[in-house]
Amino acid sequence: MAVERHPRLLPVSEEARVTTIELFFDLVFVFSLTQVTALMADDLTVHGVVRGMLVLAVLWWSWTGYAWLANVVQAEEGLGRVAMFGAMAAMFVLALAVPEAFEDLPGGLPGPVVVAVAYLAVRVLHLTMFFLASDDDPDLRRQVWRFSPSAFGGAAVLLIASQLHGTAQTLAWVAALIVDYLGTILGGASGWRLRSASHFAERHGLIVIVALGESIVAIGVGVAHVPVSWPIVVASVLGLTVAASLWWSYFDVVSIVAERVLRQAEGEARARLARDAYSYLHLPMVAGIVLAALGIEQVLQTVAEESVGLSEPLALLPLAALYWGVALFLLALAAFKYRTWRSVALRRIVVAVIVIALGPLAAELPALAALGLLCAVMVALIASEAVRYMEAREQIRHEEAGPEVHRPQAGDRA
């Protein structure tokens, strides 16, 4: 293996867990999520939200690449530590420039160019470390070569986008992401290495926590400079309950079984499962949380305005972000569940459709009532699953992962 030629690149074992430097790395991602939310809040239009989601996709692809790298070489040791700190610096600069990702502000460096160059630095460092780690692993080296065109191509298109404006610039960002995301699929997964399934699953579970944490921050930021009132207290508790429901739906059972399935997979099958279920399907989950956070923040701001009163409905776009964000999370979670253990989460799909269908009704309600309605739907979902699948939940949550993964019976559709 490459680590034999490069003693400062130490291999990751199957029993590895997330390290403190990876948690430190995630703090940069926390900041980048707050920047994305602020970017959308400053431009509450369809175009503004689309641009926010494009920036999130670029940040996500930066983060997930190092989740794979830290699963091959130890992040806290030798060159692994150097790479993590270097990537942190590049991602932090990228996050700092997010407000200028599309529109350069007067003075200083050109924001769109800074974003593109910082992203290129993230990818170059990532590829360099994988090249070093693949010296004695021809299959991994070939995989890195197949991956390289999409990595450099995406960054190159972003550089082109930095010289454009308006719709052309937005479309260039879309093209950059297509190059990155589709290129990775076309490159296959036969040579990728996933040394620790538990580490990889834990890494992505923690990033879901990070996104949920950002939603809590959004709740507080929305009313940071106004006196606390009963409407603010009620809206805050409702928003927290929605976030808690998303946490429950992911961590109560689904993440546990998914990790066990990933642990039992081997070779290329494990790499493909990790790529599809975690690298790809966790992005819409995080995007859904970010959109919901944007909506909750706007609810808090609405109820905090004394001149508006409690009868004012939420503006259409924040309402869509709130309801569709939760629905997107549920649908992505259902896809994640099916990809990992081939179980159809029919109940969650139905609830996602109900949430979308309730949008027109919520648009006629006061902002606080619209949030309360969504909260009631999510609590009902969690409560019904907890009662209906009580025995299966207890068995999954309190048994050790054995040679065979516990799979619900065919009739289980939680």
Side-chain angles (χ1 to χ4, degrees):
M1 293 186 297
V3 292
E4 295 176 355
R5 289 190 180 183
H6 298 279
R8 289 179 294 173
L9 287 178
L10 302 181
V12 170
S13 66
E14 178 63 50
E15 297 75 26
R17 309 303 295 183
V18 173
T19 61
T20 54
I21 196 171
E22 291 172 280
L23 297 176
F24 191 15
F25 187 90
D26 288 350
L27 293 178
V28 177
F29 194 71
V30 171
F31 173 63
S32 68
L33 288 182
T34 63
Q35 291 284 82
V36 170
T37 303
L39 178 68
M40 293 188 293
D42 289 340
D43 183 14
L44 273 176
T45 63
V46 173
H47 197 197
V49 172
V50 168
R51 284 183 161 185
M53 291 294 99
L54 292 175
V55 173
L56 175 62
V58 166
L59 291 166
W60 173 259
W61 215 234
S62 302
W63 178 87
T64 196
Y66 287 85
W68 282 87
L69 178 64
N71 201 269
V72 175
V73 298
Q74 293 185 27
E76 281 195 328
E77 302 295 335
L79 290 179
R81 179 180 295 191
V82 174
M84 293 298 286
F85 279 126
M88 274 187 238
M91 276 197 67
F92 192 68
V93 170
L94 198 166
L96 283 174
V98 162
E100 298 181 73
F102 296 93
E103 301 292 339
D104 186 34
L105 298 178
L109 299 172
V113 175
V114 172
V115 168
V117 172
Y119 184 57
L120 177 61
V122 169
R123 305 314 301 275
V124 168
L125 181 57
H126 177 246
L127 286 172
T128 300
M129 290 300 296
F130 261 115
F131 272 114
L132 291 176
S134 63
D135 270 359
D136 290 340
D137 189 341
D139 289 338
L140 178 57
R141 176 60 62 87
R142 282 191 291 269
Q143 184 67 63
V144 174
W145 276 117
R146 289 194 296 267
F147 176 69
S148 297
S150 65
F152 287 115
V157 177
L158 273 188
L159 281 170
I160 296 172
S162 68
Q163 304 304 307
L164 302 175
H165 302 280
T167 302
Q169 185 184 35
T170 303
L171 291 176
W173 271 70
V174 173
L177 291 170
I178 291 174
V179 170
D180 253 337
Y181 281 70
L182 183 59
T184 300
I185 293 179
L186 295 178
S190 60
W192 290 124
R193 302 289 181 253
L194 194 76
R195 303 194 189 283
S196 174
S198 297
H199 171 272
F200 198 74
E202 182 185 13
R203 195 85 176 84
H204 287 76
L206 289 173
I207 213 63
V208 172
I209 289 290
V210 163
L212 289 171
E214 196 277 333
S215 71
I216 303 303
V217 171
I219 294 174
V221 168
V223 290
H225 303 294
V226 297
V228 176
S229 62
W230 279 112
I232 289 176
V233 170
V234 173
S236 299
V237 172
L238 290 175
L240 181 62
T241 303
V242 170
S245 299
L246 299 182
W247 174 90
W248 187 301
S249 64
Y250 180 87
F251 288 100
D252 186 52
V253 169
V254 175
S255 65
I256 297 172
V257 179
E259 177 184 340
R260 293 175 185 174
V261 172
L262 184 64
R263 194 184 311 161
Q264 291 181 5
E266 297 179 352
E268 183 178 352
R270 175 187 276 196
R272 288 186 181 277
L273 180 59
R275 181 197 65 190
D276 299 345
Y278 289 90
S279 295
Y280 282 93
L281 290 177
H282 272 62
L283 172 58
M285 287 189 220
V286 172
I289 295 172
V290 171
L291 288 171
L294 175 65
I296 293 172
E297 180 183 355
Q298 295 300 310
V299 171
L300 266 294
Q301 291 182 0
T302 300
V303 302
E305 294 181 17
E306 295 182 359
S307 60
V308 170
L310 295 180
S311 62
E312 185 70 18
L314 191 61
L316 185 58
L317 193 60
L319 179 70
L322 175 61
Y323 273 64
W324 292 3
V326 170
L328 176 61
F329 178 89
L330 291 175
L331 292 173
L333 185 59
F336 170 69
K337 184 177 178 180
Y338 183 78
R339 178 62 182 88
T340 49
W341 37 299
R342 299 304 182 192
S343 178
V344 178
L346 183 60
R347 187 181 303 244
R348 296 183 181 188
I349 295 173
V350 170
V351 170
V353 173
I354 291 174
V355 167
I356 295 173
L358 285 174
L361 171 62
E364 301 298 324
L365 298 175
L368 189 59
L371 179 58
L373 176 62
L374 178 62
C375 181
V377 172
M378 291 304 297
V379 170
L381 168 65
I382 298 302
S384 67
E385 288 184 349
V387 172
R388 172 66 178 82
Y389 303 104
M390 183 181 301
E391 184 177 345
R393 285 182 63 254
E394 289 299 311
Q395 184 177 355
I396 291 171
R397 288 184 58 80
H398 300 293
E399 73 177 359
E400 293 294 329
E404 294 294 333
V405 173
H406 171 86
R407 296 176 183 270
Q409 298 298 316
D412 290 352
R413 296 286 186 250

